[in-house]
Amino acid sequence: MDSDLSPQDKKDLDKFIKFFALKTVQVIVQARLGEKINTCSSSSPTGSDWFNLAIKDIPEVTHEAKKALAGQLPGIGRSMCVEISLKTSEGDSMELETWCLEMNEKCDKDIKVSYTVYNRLSLLLKSLLAITRVTPAYKLSRKQGHDYVILYRIYFGDVQLTGLGEGFQTVRVGIVGTPIGTITLSCAYRTNLALMSSRQFERTGPIMGIIIDHYVERPFTNMAHMHPCSYRYEGGTYAGIEDSQEVCTTSFSTSPPSQLYSSRLSYQTPALGTVDLCHPTACTAAAHPHQMVVPGKEGGVPQVPAQPTHGTAAEHGRIPSCPTGQSPQLAPPTSCVFLCLQVHPPPSPAPSSPLQGSLHSNTSSHSGGQPQDDFVMVDFKPAFSKDDLLPMDLGTFYKEFQNPPQLASLSIDVSVQSMAEDLDSLPEKLAIYEKNIDEFDAFVDTLQ
Amino acid sequence: MNCRSEVLEVSVEGRQVEEAMLAVLHTILLHRSTGKFHYKKEGTYSIGTVGTQDVDCDFIDFTFVRVSSDELDRVIRKAVAEFKDALGNSGSDGMGQISLEFYQKKKSRWPFSDECIPWEVWSIKVNVVNLANEQERQICREKVGEKLGEKVINIVEVINRHDYLPKMPTQSEVDNVFDTSLKDVQPYLYKITYQITDSLGTSVSTTMRRLIKDTLAL
């Protein structure tokens, strides 16, 4: 099956699939954080945005995804799944949806890897962005916080949908044919949320009875792998997020295929030579930000420009994509010139993000449980208010501002004192003003 | 090559027209926009990065994703506002259609003007309903939100069939395929037109307008 695929194309394809899987996980988890996502377009390619899309990488999520993949790639019979569930403050949980990245055996031998497959994967990511806002779990995730949180779990292998209850629906996000199989991305989501409309998760009493009805004994009751989608960020940007440390800048060529074929032959040797040179310098990005990562061990694309180019660029702290004038000589001879694997130095040296509610394995950090003593907490629920994204809702506002402190100027002692002082100082002030009357007149004249 | 044509229908309340149209048009344009092309020597080019933004609707229980480009958003909002005004002023039963057409330009020799060849047309038929009370409006908020979700799924389904797309152009031809006027993103060449239908279902001829993204002769 792979005999028709050149080694270069195979390496490119594996890299695309790997990073597509990682970005898919990022999009899904970020869509369930409960906040609106906003990234900027950039007209200049930065060299760090896979599939030409600005999708930030939450380090913990990448870490979990890589842990689940364990060095493998999604393939035929090996699906990558992201399971989204809801967990109440009482500890009950329910699976909401499962996103599946699968591959079937239908191959498209004629498709161009570095061009068509790449662009279609980019399109599929855009579709994923759109569809993640449409499934029922999105609205629930936007309201998470006090009574429940949304958790995610990534696993690799066989798809498990039994936890979604009866009558779950499936929506297909899209498919991309490749020479080694067809990648499919779909979502299976629970539909019997109707009994548990979002109102159930507002500030009411415990809803344990209803939750138990839907709590299915699952074969994998290992909740330790669930992670909260509760990544809080400050200032509107993700603190501690790094850009992908392995970057991909894709250059495309508009030359007709016949010309490219001849160029493939002429560039073959230099490309291999470059790889050999680069291997000894391979190291991880975290160790030294100015060294290149040659992901030979990951089966990636080893087309990297010569060291000096990177060294020069790295001095500026930001390596530009595909330094012009250098890259064409070292470019791999595919129909699309695909090169420039660069290291993007991590913006912050601190590995852990200093955020509240940061992603950690399982244990719920909820303090929203009911008090254990005799007091009954009656929640003040003002009419027409709704729990929205603001940390302070109408009810809390009322409570906090019902008894404001008295204004200092209104307290009698203080006012009497200051008034007396004012009155005493009045004659002095009048005397000063009379003395300087000429100055005031001159000032008034300048204004006219 | 035949032009691909897709038709979507929505029934909305008057104040929901704008947001419903924005949601559908932006979802399509998200898929039909790329980063800015930067051509280099020897016929290679690199592509800029497209950012995305979540937009919450005020009158519909729905959130859609659009490309992070304020320029593009302004153009689309202007077109939708004109459509909405035309719908409101038509005095008809509130039926109309807004079309988003993607086309390629084909250069012709002088004195003939360039030809615009459409390759994909999305038509969104709108039916404006009047609601009697707040309860109906609340139900409508949710229902229209669900319907828009279905439309997004329909759009994604069509897009992912990977049917015809214009070939990636050389530097000299890029303006025949893409709209390069925006600073941050590069949608395929498109135009938005609309029609208002009267109660008999026939189009009222006077209310045809074109918003042309590139200037054409005639």
Side-chain angles (χ1 to χ4, degrees):
Chain A
M1 198 194 299
D2 292 344
S3 56
D4 293 334
L5 205 58
S6 71
Q8 189 53 57
D9 277 349
K10 178 75 173 72
K11 277 185 181 159
D12 289 349
L13 188 57
D14 285 347
K15 198 144 200 77
F16 293 165
I17 293 173
K18 176 191 164 187
F19 280 94
F20 179 76
L22 294 177
K23 287 295 182 182
T24 293
V25 174
Q26 289 288 349
V27 168
I28 293 167
V29 173
Q30 287 176 30
R32 299 289 176 261
L33 290 179
E35 283 132 357
K36 292 201 288 188
I37 304 297
N38 191 343
T39 57
C40 294
S41 300
S42 165
S43 63
S44 314
T46 59
S48 62
D49 295 319
W50 275 90
F51 308 105
N52 308 117
L53 282 173
I55 300 170
K56 294 280 185 194
D57 287 323
I58 301 176
E60 288 90 340
V61 175
T62 303
H63 173 71
E64 289 302 322
K66 283 183 174 170
K67 210 166 72 173
L69 288 171
Q72 295 180 78
L73 289 175
I76 298 166
R78 300 190 311 267
S79 307
M80 190 190 75
C81 298
V82 182
E83 183 188 285
I84 301 290
S85 9
L86 177 149
K87 187 172 176 184
T88 67
S89 51
E90 279 77 42
D92 301 306
S93 69
M94 177 176 68
E95 253 178 72
L96 296 176
E97 54 188 20
T98 300
W99 298 83
C100 309
L101 177 60
E102 303 171 277
M103 189 181 275
N104 66 36
E105 286 149 355
K106 188 177 169 191
C107 302
D108 186 344
K109 301 276 188 202
D110 301 324
I111 201 167
K112 292 197 168 42
V113 170
S114 292
Y115 173 71
T116 309
V117 171
Y118 189 83
N119 284 336
R120 287 185 181 178
L121 289 174
S122 175
L123 208 55
L124 189 51
L125 274 176
K126 289 175 182 172
S127 299
L128 182 65
L129 281 161
I131 299 278
T132 42
R133 276 65 174 168
V134 157
T135 54
Y138 181 72
K139 284 189 197 140
L140 284 175
S141 68
R142 288 291 296 270
K143 293 177 181 156
Q144 70 180 298
H146 303 284
D147 296 309
Y148 64 91
V149 284
I150 303 293
L151 307 177
Y152 75 96
R153 180 174 80 98
I154 307 168
Y155 63 90
F156 195 68
D158 292 328
V159 179
Q160 295 149 12
L161 300 178
T162 50
L164 294 174
E166 283 179 15
F168 65 85
Q169 298 272 355
T170 308
V171 60
R172 190 168 79 170
V173 182
I175 61 170
V176 174
T178 78
I180 60 171
T182 297
I183 295 168
T184 68
L185 185 55
S186 60
C187 172
Y189 58 92
R190 171 183 285 276
T191 53
N192 55 4
L193 281 170
L195 289 175
M196 279 171 259
S197 67
S198 52
R199 281 185 224 109
Q200 302 278 352
F201 298 106
E202 288 171 2
R203 297 178 187 226
T204 55
I207 47 172
M208 225 154 121
I210 295 169
I211 289 290
I212 283 175
D213 285 343
H214 291 269
Y215 185 73
V216 177
E217 202 66 38
R218 291 178 297 183
F220 50 92
T221 45
N222 189 356
M223 293 295 292
H225 291 297
M226 304 299 298
H227 305 278
C229 301
S230 58
Y231 196 88
R232 294 278 173 258
Y233 57 92
E234 293 158 1
T237 54
Y238 288 119
I241 281 183
E242 325 171 342
D243 292 322
S244 320
Q245 293 192 355
E246 285 185 66
V247 299
C248 158
T249 304
T250 322
S251 275
F252 298 95
S253 171
T254 52
S255 307
S258 56
Q259 285 183 14
L260 293 165
Y261 185 66
S262 59
S263 69
R264 177 191 284 262
L265 296 174
S266 64
Y267 289 147
Q268 190 73 34
T269 316
L272 292 172
T274 310
V275 169
D276 291 336
L277 275 173
C278 287
H279 265 295
T281 67
C283 65
T284 60
H288 196 302
H290 295 304
Q291 284 186 332
M292 298 177 284
V293 167
V294 177
K297 58 185 173 180
E298 297 210 37
V301 181
Q303 289 79 27
V304 207
Q307 185 85 12
T309 312
H310 268 285
T312 313
E315 278 165 16
H316 299 292
R318 188 162 182 79
I319 299 167
S321 62
C322 306
T324 54
Q326 288 284 338
S327 50
Q329 297 162 3
L330 303 163
T334 55
S335 58
C336 299
V337 175
F338 181 83
L339 64 143
C340 298
L341 212 56
Q342 302 151 5
V343 167
H344 196 90
S348 76
S352 61
S353 52
L355 302 168
Q356 49 178 323
S358 59
L359 302 173
H360 54 274
S361 61
N362 198 31
T363 49
S364 169
S365 54
H366 262 291
S367 56
Q370 300 286 342
Q372 295 298 316
D373 52 19
D374 296 332
F375 291 100
V376 174
M377 191 157 78
V378 177
D379 262 333
F380 174 55
K381 197 171 160 128
F384 307 117
S385 79
K386 61 174 181 176
D387 232 344
D388 56 13
L389 296 176
L390 295 172
M392 187 185 284
D393 69 6
L394 197 56
T396 320
F397 177 82
Y398 277 146
K399 277 189 224 163
E400 290 202 11
F401 292 94
Q402 250 168 4
N403 295 311
Q406 205 173 26
L407 289 174
S409 57
L410 290 180
S411 72
I412 299 170
D413 295 334
V414 173
S415 67
V416 163
Q417 259 180 358
S418 59
M419 191 106 85
E421 281 168 12
D422 284 341
L423 286 172
D424 288 340
S425 64
L426 260 179
E428 291 169 26
K429 285 187 187 164
L430 283 171
I432 296 167
Y433 296 151
E434 274 185 33
K435 240 197 284 180
N436 298 328
I437 202 164
D438 294 331
E439 270 183 52
F440 289 122
D441 285 342
F443 175 68
V444 169
D445 287 337
T446 61
L447 290 175
Q448 282 165 0
Chain B
M1 180 265 304
N2 289 324
C3 174
R4 189 162 59 242
S5 175
E6 306 294 335
V7 179
L8 306 164
E9 289 191 45
V10 286
S11 287
V12 294
E13 203 199 351
R15 62 182 186 168
Q16 294 173 323
V17 168
E18 216 161 333
E19 286 176 340
M21 295 302 100
L22 286 172
V24 173
L25 293 174
H26 270 303
T27 300
I28 298 168
L29 280 164
L30 168 68
H31 292 84
R32 292 289 182 242
S33 299
T34 72
K36 295 285 289 179
F37 281 16
H38 295 272
Y39 286 91
K40 294 174 274 196
K41 295 177 197 170
E42 298 177 18
T44 62
Y45 61 96
S46 57
I47 307 180
T49 300
V50 172
T52 58
Q53 234 174 318
D54 286 339
V55 181
D56 287 338
C57 296
D58 292 325
F59 301 111
I60 312 173
D61 278 349
F62 192 67
T63 300
F64 63 92
V65 181
R66 70 167 175 88
V67 159
S68 285
S69 168
D70 290 339
E71 276 181 278
L72 181 64
D73 187 40
R74 269 196 294 273
V75 170
I76 304 303
R77 280 182 184 272
K78 184 166 174 254
V80 167
E82 285 186 25
F83 172 64
K84 186 191 166 186
D85 290 341
L87 261 183
N89 297 336
S90 65
S92 70
D93 282 351
M95 281 179 61
Q97 176 175 297
I98 191 166
S99 296
L100 173 60
E101 176 187 303
F102 293 100
Y103 66 95
Q104 270 177 273
K105 267 200 289 188
K106 191 175 161 190
K107 295 277 185 208
S108 302
R109 287 183 180 276
W110 183 89
F112 301 106
S113 58
D114 295 336
E115 234 182 305
C116 289
I117 306 171
W119 51 271
E120 188 174 80
V121 178
W122 298 84
S123 301
I124 307 150
K125 292 190 172 161
V126 179
N127 179 31
V128 180
V129 297
N130 293 314
L131 299 174
N133 58 47
E134 196 53 43
Q135 195 186 5
E136 281 184 23
R137 285 201 188 93
Q138 184 57 36
I139 295 170
C140 193
R141 271 184 76 98
E142 293 168 11
K143 287 279 179 228
V144 171
E146 286 169 18
K147 282 291 169 195
L148 284 180
E150 287 171 24
K151 300 305 155 200
V152 166
I153 293 172
N154 291 348
I155 292 167
V156 160
E157 207 178 347
V158 169
I159 300 261
N160 275 273
R161 280 186 216 146
H162 301 304
D163 289 335
Y164 172 81
L165 276 182
K167 216 167 52 164
M168 283 300 142
T170 56
Q171 190 167 12
S172 55
E173 306 246 298
V174 69
D175 290 314
N176 293 342
V177 175
F178 288 101
D179 175 359
T180 53
S181 64
L182 303 173
K183 282 200 310 282
D184 40 18
V185 295
Q186 193 172 283
Y188 281 99
L189 279 175
Y190 70 94
K191 54 177 89 142
I192 299 176
T193 57
Y194 62 83
Q195 284 175 277
I196 308 297
T197 46
D198 64 13
S199 48
L200 296 174
T202 55
S203 79
V204 181
S205 55
T206 49
T207 53
M208 187 74 171
R209 277 236 205 123
R210 297 167 73 87
L211 290 172
I212 302 177
K213 296 323 297 164
D214 56 322
T215 51
L216 287 180
L218 304 177

